[in-house]
Amino acid sequence: MLPESWLEPEKNNAPLIPQLTLDCIILGFHNNQLRVLLLRWKNTQEWSLPGGPIRQNESVNAAAQRILQERTGLDDIFLQQFHVFGEVERYSRAEIQEKLKLIFDPELWYERAVSIGYYALVDYSRVNPTPDAYTDECQWWDIREIPFLLFDHNHIIQVALQALRNQLSWQPIGYNLLPHEFTLPELQKLYETILDRKLDPRNFQRKLLGLGILERLPIRRKGGAHKSPYLYRFDKAKYEAGLKEGNLFFI
Amino acid sequence: MLPESWLEPEKNNAPLIPQLTLDCIILGFHNNQLRVLLLRWKNTQEWSLPGGPIRQNESVNAAAQRILQERTGLDDIFLQQFHVFGEVERYSRAEIQEKLKLIFDPELWYERAVSIGYYALVDYSRVNPTPDAYTDECQWWDIREIPFLLFDHNHIIQVALQALRNQLSWQPIGYNLLPHEFTLPELQKLYETILDRKLDPRNFQRKLLGLGILERLPIRRKGGAHKSPYLYRFDKAKYEAGLKEGNLFFI
DNA sequence: CCAAAAGTGTTGCCTCTACACCCATGC
DNA sequence: GCATGGGTGTAGAGGCAACACTTTTGG
């Protein structure tokens, strides 16, 4: 039975804040799919989000960065607090209780916890998915094919996606989800996936280029069996300046 | 020295979640001023936001409603989670430490806490400001004249106001901040105060009435020394339908 | 009668959307 | 050479901001 060791995690004796955890929705984009990183608990077929408790000597944001670093190998990731899940009985549905009993010792664990939800946007190609001490497997799942998860994690993912769609109006999130160099059709497909609707390519290009934060590179991407698209990258300085002034609307 | 009693609040023995608190920015609108409710600690001149710990048997949202009810006498208030303040050293600035030493016994209290920030929008005229067991006074302050507060509460207020301005684009917040019946000039002044800029009265009326959620009453407000304005009220059904469909933009 | 606030329409600009054809590439 | 996806311009509609005068009221 696992979570007792959360009380003293290996390799770090810093005590933990009790009854407070965080959950991370780590999102990547690959093959025109929005994907989320999930963990499979040891010796079970049960999946859940990465997450865990917060140490007394780290900020909540730092705890989220740490969990992300441990599961993906990446530092300095885009992270966004989006909601606090503070219901008293977050996992009281009978079918969840059944599953939890198989994994956890209720004595040790059935204490209420408040969880802070973060979503992270990462470059899929740079992630090295790594399970933790309690899980056998760490894997990407297409956001449309997520299985029934432990705890209230299916709900948490839905709330995160809604927050992400909202954020898309204020901030070009492709910056975080795509590799440094990408094509406009790739960026458009990312937007279409998140918003779950088709966009007109002419209008899309006009709008995105109009933000003035993309730089067209003097090369094209070869290798597709078709006309080769231009490569672009974000102009970091202009992107950040635009963010500060709140000029990067989309809708 | 006070906060030891937070460990067992009077009139309720439900145990508390340790190291987790919430802070409420309670906002009202009066005399063309946006005002926030602050508390003055017993036998001091030090002010802070209402807030406190969460009980084991209540949800975080319910705790916020409870705190609000206790300070204002109002039930069923518009409340919005807006940020989690999770730094390790939230009150480490020297000038704050000095003040805190005068009020609290450091032995009992200098434990780290994570705080969940809520803002509440209330009808000023219905509020009955009530101090709690640790404070002498509960009073409205003009948002532009807030004194130096305990803890990191000045910072929390700034973050709340920014979140409120964002929310204004998506949701007509006058619904919560004004009495049931109000005039369009009053509503406009509320918007001008929150956004901190002048708006054109013709454009403002067109836009707000265009949302289709206001109902003009067959009476005017008498008593001003000038032309009497029409009274309006929100059409609750249309307001809520519009919210669901996300049609109530402002910007 | 005067001062102060409330109420109201129009115009130009700019932004958004809708829409279709040619081009480049690898096979 | 052909199938596939990439790249591009224009026209119409709708929304937004700028703008000033008349009406009402109490004093």
Side-chain angles (χ1 to χ4, degrees), chain A residues 16-20 54-61 81-88 111-112 114 116 166 169-170 249 251, chain B residues 16-20 54-61 81-88 111-112 114 116 166 169-170 249 251:
Chain A
L16 304 173
I17 297 180
Q19 297 189 261
L20 185 63
I54 294 146
R55 295 180 184 149
Q56 294 288 358
N57 62 359
E58 70 186 350
S59 73
V60 176
N61 285 338
Q81 241 186 59
F82 67 91
H83 193 70
V84 175
F85 297 89
E87 297 307 306
V88 177
E111 185 175 55
R112 173 186 179 192
V114 170
I116 302 169
N166 275 341
S169 324
W170 300 94
F249 301 101
I251 295 201
Chain B
L16 304 174
I17 297 180
Q19 297 190 262
L20 185 63
I54 294 146
R55 294 180 185 149
Q56 294 287 358
N57 62 358
E58 71 185 349
S59 72
V60 176
N61 286 338
Q81 243 186 54
F82 67 92
H83 193 70
V84 176
F85 298 88
E87 297 306 306
V88 178
E111 185 175 55
R112 173 188 178 190
V114 170
I116 302 169
N166 274 342
S169 326
W170 302 93
F249 300 101
I251 295 200

Side-chain angles (χ1 to χ4, degrees), chain B residues 126-174:
Chain B
R126 296 173 59 216
V127 170
N128 177 23
T130 311
D132 62 24
Y134 317 116
T135 51
D136 278 338
E137 201 177 347
C138 181
Q139 208 179 83
W140 290 105
W141 287 75
D142 186 317
I143 204 79
R144 294 162 305 184
E145 296 168 4
I146 292 174
F148 187 69
L149 303 177
L150 290 174
F151 314 105
D152 51 352
H153 287 184
N154 293 86
H155 173 235
I156 289 178
I157 289 176
Q158 290 315 309
V159 176
L161 288 176
Q162 196 51 54
L164 177 64
R165 289 191 190 103
N166 274 342
Q167 171 141 11
L168 190 52
S169 326
W170 302 93
Q171 185 169 345
I173 60 178

Side-chain angles (χ1 to χ4, degrees), chain A residues 13 16 22 29-30 56 62 65 71 75 89 99 118 121 138 147 163-164 182 209 228:
Chain A
N13 291 326
L16 304 173
L22 60 85
F29 190 66
H30 186 65
Q56 294 288 358
Q65 289 282 358
R71 299 285 75 70
D75 279 317
E89 301 202 321
K99 289 181 185 294
Y118 279 81
L121 306 180
C138 182
L164 176 64
F182 54 89
L209 294 178
S228 29

